[in-house]
Amino acid sequence: MARGSLSLFAVIFALVYCRSKGQRVRLVGGSSSDGLLEVFENGEWGTVCDDLWGYNNAFVVCKELGFQSYETVFPSHTHVTSASEDIWYDDVECTGSESSLRECPKRPVGETNCGHFEDIGVACSQQTLRLVGGSSKNEGRIEVFHNRRWGTVCDDHWDETDALVVCKQLGYSSVVTADSHSFPIGTGKIWFDNVQCIGNEATLHDCPRSAVPHNCGHHEDVGIVCSSD
């Protein structure tokens, strides 16, 4: 066989091998961390229906893509979709412990009662802490990613030392306001209570705190304002 033919064969083999061993999920139509969710099955990319979709599913997708957490899930009408694609997955019900979306319980591949208006999208993140509800990115209600879900932090025992750990974790150097209730209250889980940071912790998750259950309500959700000054 000629050298040119061998080279062409090697390229084709490499492409086929990499596709078979490579990425099985991707996000399209958005940025590198968000977009319409697509999965690779039967040699083609296709979409995922939003039936029974939950936070555990989003967590598995983002983890498979190399992220630490998810920001949100959204319908496909917020991102580009293609009606020519197959819908591969329906009724996905991950527990959160799976290493890939393919491992999650679901209908057989391609068996679905959905239309593309039900395609699901996901936004992933490398963050396990965020500020929500402020007028700028340096302020807001504190939320932490814990046990595969975002939740709030109670203000019991909260002080400037705790707030400084949060601000430094987010890339700021100082605290303007350590305890503010001027931001909208949260919903869902209250993950942290009686936080008592020493001040040298790298993340809020490293700080001593009470184990759940807590004795707080969302009216006690803590918010802060950070500064780079």
Side-chain angles (χ1 to χ4, degrees):
M1 186 180 291
R3 178 175 298 178
S5 298
L6 282 172
S7 299
L8 179 60
F9 175 79
V11 170
I12 294 173
F13 176 80
L15 288 173
V16 172
Y17 179 81
C18 290
R19 174 54 61 87
S20 66
K21 297 295 184 181
Q23 187 177 6
R24 309 294 306 199
V25 298
R26 68 182 184 183
L27 302 175
V28 298
S31 68
S32 60
S33 60
D34 69 86
L36 175 72
L37 175 60
E38 292 186 338
V39 295
F40 191 74
E41 293 286 357
N42 298 331
E44 300 287 344
W45 288 99
T47 59
V48 178
C49 184
D50 63 5
D51 290 351
L52 303 183
W53 191 266
Y55 295 116
N56 284 338
N57 299 346
F59 176 68
V60 170
V61 168
C62 292
K63 182 174 61 173
E64 184 174 357
L65 290 170
F67 295 94
Q68 294 192 68
S69 62
Y70 58 83
E71 286 292 336
T72 188
V73 297
F74 46 80
S76 65
H77 64 255
T78 60
H79 284 75
V80 177
T81 186
S82 172
S84 64
E85 291 183 334
D86 289 298
I87 301 174
W88 287 136
Y89 292 176
D90 189 13
D91 291 344
V92 182
E93 292 186 280
C94 303
T95 65
S97 62
E98 298 87 355
S99 59
S100 72
L101 195 65
R102 297 187 84 199
E103 298 174 5
C104 297
K106 57 186 176 295
R107 288 191 180 197
V109 173
E111 181 181 301
T112 175
N113 59 1
C114 301
H116 279 294
F117 64 94
E118 297 172 271
D119 291 342
I120 197 70
V122 179
C124 300
S125 175
Q126 292 291 9
Q127 301 298 322
T128 57
L129 184 146
R130 65 187 183 185
L131 301 180
V132 178
S135 58
S136 60
K137 64 180 181 179
N138 66 308
E139 64 178 26
R141 180 182 70 252
I142 299 173
E143 291 192 350
V144 293
F145 193 77
H146 179 73
N147 198 23
R148 304 191 293 271
R149 294 195 66 174
W150 287 100
T152 61
V153 177
C154 184
D155 64 3
D156 292 349
H157 294 296
W158 188 265
D159 61 20
E160 188 167 344
T161 301
D162 307 318
L164 184 59
V165 169
V166 169
C167 290
K168 287 185 175 180
Q169 183 178 347
L170 292 172
Y172 300 100
S173 58
S174 60
V175 178
V176 176
T177 304
D179 185 1
S180 173
H181 292 83
S182 60
F183 307 110
I185 64 173
T187 59
K189 296 290 187 179
I190 300 173
W191 284 131
F192 291 0
D193 186 19
N194 295 324
V195 178
Q196 294 182 291
C197 301
I198 298 171
N200 61 357
E201 295 87 355
T203 73
L204 191 65
H205 287 73
D206 299 324
C207 294
R209 58 185 183 274
S210 296
V212 290
H214 55 78
N215 60 355
C216 302
H218 279 296
H219 63 285
E220 298 172 88
D221 290 342
V222 71
I224 62 171
V225 180
C226 300
S227 175
S228 297
D229 297 334

